[in-house]
Amino acid sequence: MTQHRITRRQLLTAAGAATLLSQLPMGLALGRARDGAKTPAFIDDLIGRMSLVEKAGQLTLMASASQNGAAAAANPISNTSAVSAQVAAVKAGQLTGVFNSSNVLWHERLQKAAMQSRLKIPMLFAADVIHGFTTVFPVPLGEAASFEPELARRTARAAAMEAAAVGIDWTFAPMVDIARDARWGRGVEGSGEDVLLGRRMAAARVHGFQGERGLADPEAVVACPKHFCAYGAAEGGLDYNTTDVSERVLRQTYFPPFQAGFDAGAMTTMASFNEISGIPATANHWLLDDVLRGEWDFTGVVVSDYTGDEELIAHGFARDGRDAARLAILAGVDMSMQSALYLKHLPSLVESGEVRMAVVDRSVRRVLQLKAQLGLFDDPFRRIKPSAPSRQRLPETLELAREAARKSVVLLKNEDDVLPLRTSGQRIALIGPLAQDWDSTKGPWTLFEGDDTGSDLATGMKQTLADPSLLQVVAGCGYQKPLAGGVQEAVAAARAADVVVMAIGESRDDSGEARSRTSITVPQVQQDLLDAVAATGKPVVVVLGNGRALALGKLAPKAQAVLVGWYLGSRSGLGLCDVLFGAHGPSARLPVSFPRESGQVPYYYDHKTTGRPDPEPEKLSPFKTRYMTAPNSALFPFGHGLTYGRMEYGGLDIGDGRLPADGALTVRATISNRGSRAAEEVVQLYVHDRVASITRPVQELKDFRKIRLEPGASAQVEFTLRRADLLFIGQDLKPTVEPGLFDVWVAPSAEVDGLHGTFELLG
Ligand code: BGC
């Protein structure tokens, strides 16, 4: 990866001004009795024998010294240590684990060193296994577009299997931050803007990583829903920026995917970098202790983000490193990542009485308990088997990567059925910087991938076409810069072709951590290339590479067909070709709204009506909630995605339209495929609460179902609504629901009417 990735946060780690906030809770209440109640006796015995330094060591996680390239590619260089120093730290009991190494021999060496330490406490090996390990799966945002949680479970399972096979016990995933501002680069790591989809994907991924046989299973990797919390609400979409989110919005929007992850059994979480309404998450006692542990009964481990505790200084919340360590541990951060501040300061903080020993013991107990659950006390080498047959990039895992790739591709438009293309008898010009760029199809979190042969679109097409000589590939321009003669070459290729496929969009480096953009359009140089190619009059199919929602107001009219291709990983090209050439129809849906213009962000479909809703979006009505140049709606809404079939929605049946307080309402609709190709449709159920004591969104997704219909076939889809589905966070900040009238839609996406009805929730 590039140099700027390595150094990007150096500026931020510069010490900030010190602000004294000494009135924070010092003598924090001890964890609940049940923490202790579940603890095996040997852990308490161990804690009784540990020195303060050994305790602080159990709460200290550092980037792997070996294979540092992986850690450094993802994080700024900070507190690195030499291999020999890291081995020595392990022997001295000063390290709980390391992260972002994939070298099983190194893991073996460190675990052997741990077995030589005084108390022989096993090491924990963590890694950012975000969208695959050596097999690269589509980025999580792309995979969310499948609207198929089971697919996410399967890819997480496969990634965990690969990771565990080299000794990894813990993944810093899934990223479950709701992301509604497409400028923010990290939306690519999550499941988009919607709470329901976010919850389902979070749960599925946790189940996938952790497996079904318990954490001690050698193929289980403990999950870490992150970043807790509201990291995606960064002001201006600027990474690491301030968030100021009301408690209601936290509870309604940002918390639920975390709760789903914990309900699915996730035993760790990561405190986010951001502050929330003035209090950094890493020092937020209310968030980490009152809510997470108190309300939700979370008994697992909270780890800081990378130097997150140290960054309390730059936030202006902690005076110095000692203060930062004190604030973080008192708030409920059990483990410090990469700053080494706990190791440095916890012993003296306990000795001085600023942090009670019981507080440290509580965190140590949680960490040891996790290690016990992972089976590491029984066999520290249970995931470290250097001579076992390789589990990397098995044929079935690569086939899954291809399936996941094709299921993530969203068809936004398809005028005159220009798609699918034919595999023979058609001359194709493949144009654009993404046509032949394997690196960019991998996406931002590929630290360990073992494949440099790649599967970009050109490669995929050559393998798919009956006669590859009918394909001409031209870059035309770079991602941001023109290429000399590029446009002319592209135009000539287009003229010589029957159809043009333009692989354009964002490079891999345009999204991910610290990859915020001020504009979310395709870079101008690529738009210019598209304009020139479109002017030839040849049919144009745009295949986007992207890690975020894009504003396609200028792009979409230039193309007959547009596919959203995200970053699809190890089998990107083949997966795209499965859809382009119709071996499999497109079945994915947008997990984020694609607005018309950049200036609309943050844009999300479940916004409020406001007091002046726009009655006729196509017209410029004065004094209404709209922009002067664009209506307040998406160009391609959340949930949108076409198929190669022709779906008709009809036969809405909501019974007597009355939902008893303790009962259920069945909503049925009939979906028919009037087209000539089989297709998979994602049928969506939306609801709107007409009047409530807290204003409610214009619509909210309540359920969805993916169905396959052969040509001419129909199917009845049935949804069940209960009172619990209609809960919202009331004036008292508690979940509530109020009787009254609701709109209901069964629709192919948000913001289209589909089938509309009303029902009444009875008191
Ligand atoms: C990111 C985390 C990641 C950690 C370790 C941080 O910069 O915010 O998501 O898990 O680095 O690589």
Side-chain angles (χ1 to χ4, degrees):
M1 285 209 227
T2 49
Q3 189 62 27
H4 57 282
R5 268 183 187 257
I6 297 172
T7 56
R8 63 193 150 75
R9 208 186 299 130
Q10 278 164 346
L11 279 178
L12 284 176
T13 49
T19 298
L20 186 63
L21 279 169
S22 50
Q23 61 277 57
L24 275 162
M26 298 277 290
L28 183 71
L30 278 185
R32 308 187 145 212
R34 69 169 182 283
D35 279 4
K38 281 192 198 159
T39 312
F42 82 90
I43 288 183
D44 280 332
D45 173 62
L46 207 46
I47 292 173
R49 291 190 289 130
M50 287 169 85
S51 70
L52 253 174
V53 171
E54 284 164 335
K55 288 178 182 175
Q58 280 309 305
L59 307 181
T60 299
L61 182 73
M62 298 297 281
S64 163
S66 165
Q67 228 192 351
N68 213 298
N75 304 103
I77 294 170
S78 173
N79 300 315
T80 50
S81 64
V83 163
S84 55
Q86 196 153 69
V87 174
V90 174
K91 282 188 186 161
Q94 295 183 7
L95 209 49
T96 200
V98 298
F99 64 95
N100 282 349
S101 151
S102 61
N103 183 341
V104 68
L105 294 174
W106 169 239
H107 297 157
E108 184 180 51
R109 184 171 164 199
L110 284 182
Q111 201 63 297
K112 282 183 176 162
M115 293 306 109
Q116 290 165 29
S117 67
R118 192 176 77 89
L119 294 170
K120 300 185 179 24
I121 300 176
M123 290 278 284
L124 193 58
F125 297 98
D128 288 288
V129 184
I130 313 289
H131 52 105
F133 190 64
T134 55
T135 301
V136 184
F137 294 113
V139 290
L141 185 64
E143 193 183 62
S146 71
F147 273 64
E148 206 178 302
E150 175 58 12
L151 177 70
R153 188 196 65 76
R154 288 163 62 214
T155 59
R157 184 84 293 273
M161 190 256 306
E162 289 186 347
V166 301
I168 288 165
D169 311 291
W170 181 14
T171 173
F172 296 143
M175 192 282 228
V176 303
D177 298 317
I178 295 287
R180 300 184 151 193
D181 190 327
R183 289 171 296 183
W184 192 52
R186 299 199 75 173
V188 67
E189 298 173 46
S191 297
E193 71 185 45
D194 182 60
V195 177
L196 179 81
L197 185 61
R199 276 171 37 210
R200 292 197 180 163
M201 286 291 169
R205 289 184 172 128
V206 169
H207 284 306
F209 286 129
Q210 299 196 164
E212 304 303 322
R213 295 194 292 255
L215 286 181
D217 185 83
E219 290 194 343
V221 162
V222 65
C224 181
K226 68 181 187 186
H227 308 80
F228 197 55
C229 195
Y231 184 34
E235 283 181 2
L238 180 63
D239 206 5
Y240 316 121
N241 204 9
T242 307
T243 70
D244 198 334
V245 186
S246 70
E247 185 175 337
R248 174 168 298 101
V249 172
L250 280 175
R251 289 184 181 279
Q252 187 87 46
T253 304
Y254 292 95
F255 284 171
F258 285 91
Q259 291 170 283
F262 301 138
D263 288 347
M267 287 307 294
T268 75
T269 188
M270 186 184 290
S272 54
F273 285 131
N274 54 288
E275 67 161 76
I276 307 171
S277 312
I279 304 181
T282 308
N284 200 316
H285 179 258
W286 172 78
L287 185 70
L288 302 181
D289 215 62
D290 294 351
V291 174
L292 177 65
R293 298 189 185 282
E295 285 183 36
W296 302 349
D297 287 339
F298 176 75
T299 56
V301 171
V302 177
V303 63
S304 78
D305 202 342
Y306 191 99
T307 62
D309 49 1
E310 190 175 7
E311 292 173 25
L312 294 174
I313 306 169
H315 274 292
F317 200 81
R319 280 186 299 273
D320 51 26
R322 191 169 192 277
D323 201 27
R326 180 182 69 84
L327 288 166
I329 189 111
L330 290 180
V333 175
D334 299 305
M335 189 186 285
S336 160
M337 189 201 299
Q338 198 60 16
S339 69
L341 288 185
Y342 277 18
L343 188 63
K344 202 164 164 196
H345 299 295
L346 282 187
S348 76
L349 283 166
V350 172
E351 274 153 13
S352 69
E354 287 163 273
V355 172
R356 289 169 31 201
M357 181 73 94
V359 171
V360 173
D361 285 354
R362 185 183 61 180
S363 290
V364 172
R365 187 175 293 112
R366 288 174 186 146
V367 171
L368 296 182
Q369 177 110 13
L370 179 67
K371 290 184 175 182
Q373 282 177 296
L374 284 162
L376 295 173
F377 281 104
D378 298 332
D379 175 8
F381 298 91
R382 72 192 307 119
R383 293 180 186 81
I384 305 175
K385 306 275 183 238
S387 51
S390 168
R391 309 302 307 273
Q392 309 306 317
R393 301 173 56 73
L394 299 177
E396 59 269 31
T397 315
L398 288 166
E399 195 43 48
L400 177 60
R402 180 171 180 169
E403 179 190 341
R406 66 172 170 258
K407 285 182 166 174
S408 302
V409 178
V410 187
L411 177 62
L412 296 185
K413 69 179 275 193
N414 191 18
E415 258 169 39
D416 306 327
D417 289 337
V418 60
L419 290 178
L421 303 175
R422 300 197 302 274
T423 54
S424 61
Q426 209 175 24
R427 288 164 305 162
I428 300 176
L430 173 60
I431 298 172
L434 271 155
Q436 284 189 105
D437 181 359
W438 157 230
D439 198 50
S440 267
T441 62
K442 290 188 287 192
W445 273 113
T446 37
L447 305 176
F448 313 107
E449 91 342 289
D451 179 17
D452 51 12
T453 56
S455 169
D456 52 30
L457 190 49
T459 314
M461 280 200 184
K462 282 175 198 153
Q463 290 176 29
T464 306
L465 289 172
D467 180 2
S469 71
L470 294 181
L471 175 71
Q472 193 184 352
V473 184
V474 171
C477 66
Y479 286 99
Q480 301 285 351
K481 293 193 182 129
L483 290 175
V487 175
Q488 290 88 325
E489 204 192 342
V491 167
R495 289 212 174 101
D498 300 310
V499 63
V500 181
V501 176
M502 295 214 51
I504 55 179
E506 302 185 293
S507 83
R508 164 196 193 169
D509 278 346
D510 288 328
S511 60
E513 189 176 342
R515 292 285 183 270
S516 297
R517 296 184 61 195
T518 51
S519 148
I520 57 162
T521 53
V522 166
Q524 190 59 44
V525 66
Q526 297 184 55
Q527 177 74 41
D528 292 345
L529 180 70
L530 170 63
D531 293 349
V533 169
T536 63
K538 292 294 166 89
V540 173
V541 175
V542 167
V543 179
L544 292 167
N546 55 315
R548 52 164 57 77
L550 295 174
L552 300 178
K554 293 212 173 78
L555 181 145
K558 299 286 176 160
Q560 276 64 47
V562 181
L563 284 168
V564 180
W566 317 105
Y567 310 118
L568 295 177
S570 292
R571 288 295 175 263
S572 176
L574 287 170
L576 279 168
C577 286
D578 284 344
V579 174
L580 272 171
F581 293 93
H584 295 265
S587 58
R589 301 302 169 110
L590 292 180
V592 277
S593 307
F594 276 40
R596 296 156 195 277
E597 298 182 21
S598 296
Q600 284 178 268
V601 296
Y603 185 85
Y604 46 95
Y605 82 91
D606 61 343
H607 56 78
K608 302 293 184 71
T609 61
T610 80
R612 293 186 176 188
D614 190 5
E616 288 175 277
E618 297 319 317
K619 219 176 94 195
L620 179 63
S621 315
F623 302 105
K624 297 296 176 194
T625 308
R626 58 163 295 135
Y627 298 94
M628 287 190 291
T629 51
N632 182 33
S633 63
L635 183 60
F636 298 108
F638 172 87
H640 174 73
L642 303 174
T643 68
Y644 292 153
R646 195 161 55 77
M647 297 298 166
E648 262 180 33
Y649 283 56
L652 181 70
D653 172 8
I654 42 181
D656 65 0
R658 289 151 70 87
L659 170 52
D662 56 353
L665 180 76
T666 305
V667 179
R668 297 187 181 88
T670 303
I671 319 299
S672 309
N673 182 359
R674 305 275 181 227
S676 56
R677 287 175 168 270
E680 281 180 278
E681 178 76 358
V682 180
V683 186
Q684 299 156 47
L685 180 78
Y686 293 92
V687 157
H688 169 233
D689 187 345
R690 288 213 177 155
V691 180
S693 57
I694 295 291
T695 59
R696 306 299 304 132
V698 291
Q699 55 184 159
E700 284 179 292
L701 185 69
K702 291 297 169 190
D703 205 353
F704 56 86
R705 202 94 75 235
K706 199 174 199 177
I707 54 165
R708 183 183 164 82
L709 289 176
E710 297 300 321
S714 297
Q716 194 179 57
V717 176
E718 191 175 295
F719 297 105
T720 305
L721 273 173
R722 293 175 203 283
R723 189 173 175 272
D725 296 313
L726 307 174
L727 287 171
F728 62 90
I729 303 298
Q731 294 197 359
D732 59 358
L733 295 176
K734 303 233 156 43
T736 186
V737 64
E738 292 163 3
L741 214 53
F742 289 76
D743 293 294
V744 59
W745 296 266
V746 176
S749 70
E751 297 185 13
V752 298
D753 270 353
L755 305 170
H756 174 239
T758 56
F759 69 90
E760 188 185 356
L761 173 67
L762 305 178

